Amino acid sequence: MNLGVIEGFFGPSWKWDERAHMISFLKSSNYKFYIYAPKSDPYLRKKWELDHPKQWHDNLLNLSHHCSELGIDFGIGLSPFEVHFDYTDQKKDLFIKKIKKINEYKPKILGLFFDDMKSSESLAKVQIELVNLADEVFEGRVVFCPTFYSFDPILDKVFGNRPENYLEEISKGINNNVEIMWTGPKVISPEITEQHLNEVTSLLRRRPFIWDNFYANDGPKQCKFLKLINSQGRTSKMLASGWAINPMNQSYLSELVLEQFVNSNNSIEDIILKRCDSDSKIIIECLNKFNFEGFDKIEDKNNLINELSSDNPYCLQIKQWLEGEFIVDNDCLTD
């Protein structure tokens, strides 16, 4: 199974050393790829025409090298933000230049992501041209996320109505070897069934590449929860061309659920007992609070912070969350 992780969320992104640790974890857990695409990286989104500053550039090179050493496919996600509103020959040239710059990092995967952008009638036409252009210029595998990446009506409500026959045009227009991302029946899908995957395969004229937001906790509502929960409703993964989990803003806590995802014989409680030292029982007792009640309803935050005595990174990230370090407002969605 082509299973991996995409760092593709809003809000606080992972630190460089956390990314390196995650990649080592992915290797040990039989994951195949990691895609760097935090919404907070302006040089891949709203300032996509600009190159990364030198230190950022060097960090990306180091990350790519670390993936290569471990046999993990490295990917970069580029989001030319709302370029369909001002698409000119100059923008086309800048786009080609950007793809060539991304080639310098030697990624195996280019994510071309048009998610979370306003709709327009020119959406499909511009995206088809750019996707096929990227497929010519990029030296690896292209994975494309359309603006409407689910049947979920929340996308139309937030970004404007999807153009008529948008996905049909996309599926006919882009090159057959380009994979198309899909989040399931919802943006955050409780389950992704065999029937649904077969329906989407027919629509997209290829097996979908799943962008799975089951564990994601970015944004002003989801940031109030830690998704330390067992995987569910995902028994037909082989029907997808790839499966990218978009996990939590907390990198180490994400490793707990990622481990459970690939080994469903173990529960999240089993994995917490194995990894969270003396604090494991406290964490397990609080899972309902973390998963379902949420930050605002936990009245004994300070007591709980004091009870978590271990200094392992999992417990430290729970304490940081309880202290409000990962709580964001609506502004994070404008990155």
Side-chain angles (χ1 to χ4, degrees), residues 38-229:
K39 294 290 196 292
S40 59
D41 184 338
Y43 304 101
L44 293 176
R45 195 162 169 83
K46 288 194 174 178
K47 297 181 180 179
W48 65 270
E49 302 99 326
L50 304 178
D51 292 341
H52 284 94
K54 184 179 186 308
Q55 187 60 58
W56 211 319
H57 170 85
D58 292 346
N59 285 331
L60 278 172
L61 281 176
N62 290 336
L63 207 62
S64 176
H65 182 66
H66 185 47
C67 282
S68 179
E69 284 185 323
L70 295 180
I72 296 292
D73 286 351
F74 177 58
I76 292 180
L78 173 64
S79 297
F81 191 76
E82 296 186 349
V83 67
H84 48 277
F85 286 119
D86 183 30
Y87 185 56
T88 61
D89 287 342
Q90 181 185 17
K91 288 290 176 69
K92 179 179 177 179
D93 291 341
L94 287 170
F95 179 78
I96 294 172
K97 179 183 175 184
K98 187 71 172 187
I99 301 299
K100 290 180 177 178
K101 187 69 178 180
I102 288 174
N103 278 333
E104 294 179 10
Y105 298 114
K106 300 187 184 304
K108 299 286 185 66
I109 303 168
L110 171 66
L112 195 53
F113 301 155
F114 291 90
D115 55 310
D116 303 328
M117 302 182 192
K118 291 179 182 178
S119 179
S120 81
E121 289 302 317
S122 63
L123 208 58
K125 180 181 178 181
V126 173
Q127 290 175 4
I128 289 168
E129 180 172 345
L130 289 177
V131 169
N132 289 340
L133 189 59
D135 191 36
E136 294 176 15
V137 178
F138 181 63
E139 297 171 358
R141 168 186 180 194
V142 176
V143 182
F144 162 59
C145 183
T147 303
F148 295 94
Y149 46 82
S150 169
F151 299 136
D152 197 334
I154 189 65
L155 294 175
D156 303 76
K157 180 178 179 181
V158 174
F159 300 111
N161 293 332
R162 63 191 74 197
E164 188 176 0
N165 299 321
Y166 167 71
L167 289 171
E168 291 85 348
E169 287 186 43
I170 289 289
S171 64
K172 292 178 183 178
I174 66 172
N175 295 343
N176 290 331
N177 59 293
V178 173
E179 294 165 274
I180 301 179
M181 281 185 148
W182 189 258
T183 65
K186 298 287 185 181
V187 174
I188 302 177
S189 295
E191 63 178 2
I192 302 175
T193 65
E194 178 179 349
Q195 179 181 351
H196 179 77
L197 289 172
N198 286 332
E199 178 185 358
V200 174
T201 295
S202 177
L203 172 65
L204 300 181
R205 297 170 177 249
R206 69 205 77 198
R207 291 185 297 159
F209 189 109
I210 295 298
W211 176 318
D212 194 344
N213 288 318
F214 184 71
Y215 301 111
N217 66 344
D218 58 344
K221 293 182 180 178
Q222 296 298 326
C223 72
K224 303 292 182 72
F225 302 90
L226 295 176
K227 301 292 187 69
L228 296 171
I229 48 183

